[in-house]
Amino acid sequence: MATLNVANLHVEVSGKRILRGVSLEVKQGEIVALMGPNGSGKSTLFQTIAGNPNYRIVEGDIAIDGVSIKDLAPEERFNKGIYVSFQSPISVPEVRFGFLIQAVMNKRMGRKMDEPNPKMAEALKIAEEIGLRRDIFDRGVGVGFSGGEFKRAEVLLAYLMRPAIAILDEPDSGLDIDGIAAVSKIISSLARESSGVLLSTHYARILKFLEPDRVYVMYSGRIIMAGGSEIVKRVEEVGYEGLFKESGVFQ
């Protein structure tokens, strides 16, 4: 059972310190929520875990099963079982989305990338369940995708890929309440069947459909609170400013 450990992580971007001693843990089979207002450092943490070279680790470590990955290239981290979806995904018009799905499933099954996959019908069924139209498979990756379609597509990829750890940056962004419910169902299945899930969100709404094993709250590049669903409830009741005042962050 794989475990992702982030330990005392300090990160600079363009010479500016963004993360200031972040520590958290995600195990396979868990859903871990990372909450916090805009600018708290959630996306910076995810970019750093993914290995973006513009995010410089000044201190601390990132490890899978106790083995550091902080010096590995992004593709090597992917091969270790780390999948990261980003807040602002990029388009790849040269690659048809259906081919990407086929290649992902073939890689997991040890088949050639361009070989027809017998489970393509399953992928189409799941896509339909989360609200992706069939024609999206014939378009280039990201071509004409709405924000909600991007998020649905990323969750579909994560589910089909079955990584050890799936890291999802704001998977509820751009989705209406029905879309959030559908995507949450797939995320729950992903954690139950194969993966650890670390997801970020500003709002508590997606966590009405998921049952996180642990909730972390970030503020100003630090984890300032960790606990369970009681944190989600309190954020809904008083907002982040109220929560921070209660916890003494603003004192």
Side-chain angles (χ1 to χ4, degrees):
M1 181 178 292
T3 300
L4 171 70
N5 284 105
V6 176
N8 191 34
L9 198 65
H10 295 253
V11 173
E12 287 184 353
V13 181
S14 300
K16 181 180 179 182
R17 185 71 59 95
I18 305 296
L19 300 186
R20 308 166 188 272
V22 172
S23 297
L24 57 77
E25 180 181 85
V26 185
K27 297 178 181 179
Q28 274 186 280
E30 290 185 331
I31 296 176
V32 176
L34 181 63
M35 303 185 72
N38 277 327
S40 57
K42 302 186 300 297
S43 293
T44 293
L45 173 62
F46 288 2
Q47 291 278 1
T48 305
I49 293 172
N52 188 325
N54 295 318
Y55 293 72
R56 188 173 76 88
I57 297 176
V58 178
E59 185 180 344
D61 201 6
I62 305 166
I64 291 285
D65 293 335
V67 179
S68 178
I69 63 169
K70 73 174 184 177
D71 296 322
L72 297 183
E75 60 271 20
E76 293 177 282
R77 300 181 192 209
F78 177 82
N79 288 333
K80 292 286 187 182
I82 300 292
Y83 169 86
V84 184
S85 76
F86 297 111
Q87 189 174 357
S88 301
I90 61 171
S91 298
V92 189
E94 300 83 4
V95 178
R96 191 170 58 87
F97 183 67
F99 179 80
L100 176 62
I101 293 295
Q102 174 185 289
V104 162
M105 291 193 297
N106 281 342
K107 178 176 176 59
R108 183 162 64 87
M109 296 169 67
R111 300 162 66 95
K112 292 180 180 179
M113 196 165 59
D114 59 352
E115 190 177 350
N117 192 288
K119 293 195 173 183
M120 199 66 181
E122 176 189 344
L124 289 168
K125 182 176 182 294
I126 297 168
E128 184 178 353
E129 288 176 2
I130 61 176
L132 282 175
R133 300 191 308 272
R134 184 69 63 95
D135 69 287
I136 201 171
F137 281 73
D138 296 318
R139 286 147 57 186
V141 175
V143 174
F145 285 26
S146 67
E149 285 177 326
F150 262 120
K151 293 302 177 182
R152 287 176 168 91
E154 288 174 342
V155 170
L156 175 63
L157 280 168
Y159 182 77
L160 296 173
M161 195 176 295
R162 307 295 177 92
I165 306 292
I167 298 174
L168 308 174
D169 199 355
E170 297 186 22
D172 52 347
S173 176
L175 297 178
D176 59 22
I177 198 68
D178 291 332
I180 292 171
V183 162
S184 297
K185 183 179 178 181
I186 299 301
I187 293 172
S188 292
S189 295
L190 178 63
R192 185 173 61 249
E193 296 170 14
S194 63
S195 304
V197 177
L198 172 63
L199 65 90
S200 70
T201 183
H202 298 304
Y203 309 108
R205 57 187 182 177
I206 192 171
L207 301 178
K208 292 179 180 179
F209 299 97
L210 296 169
E211 296 184 14
D213 295 274
R214 205 157 41 261
V215 179
Y216 295 100
V217 180
M218 283 192 78
Y219 176 71
S220 192
R222 297 179 174 89
I223 300 288
I224 56 97
M225 192 176 297
S229 296
E230 73 281 356
I231 294 177
V232 180
K233 182 179 179 182
R234 201 62 188 143
V235 168
E236 268 199 314
E237 291 171 346
V238 302
Y240 286 112
E241 186 172 340
L243 182 73
F244 296 158
K245 284 180 178 177
E246 289 178 354
S247 63
V249 172
F250 288 161
Q251 292 178 3

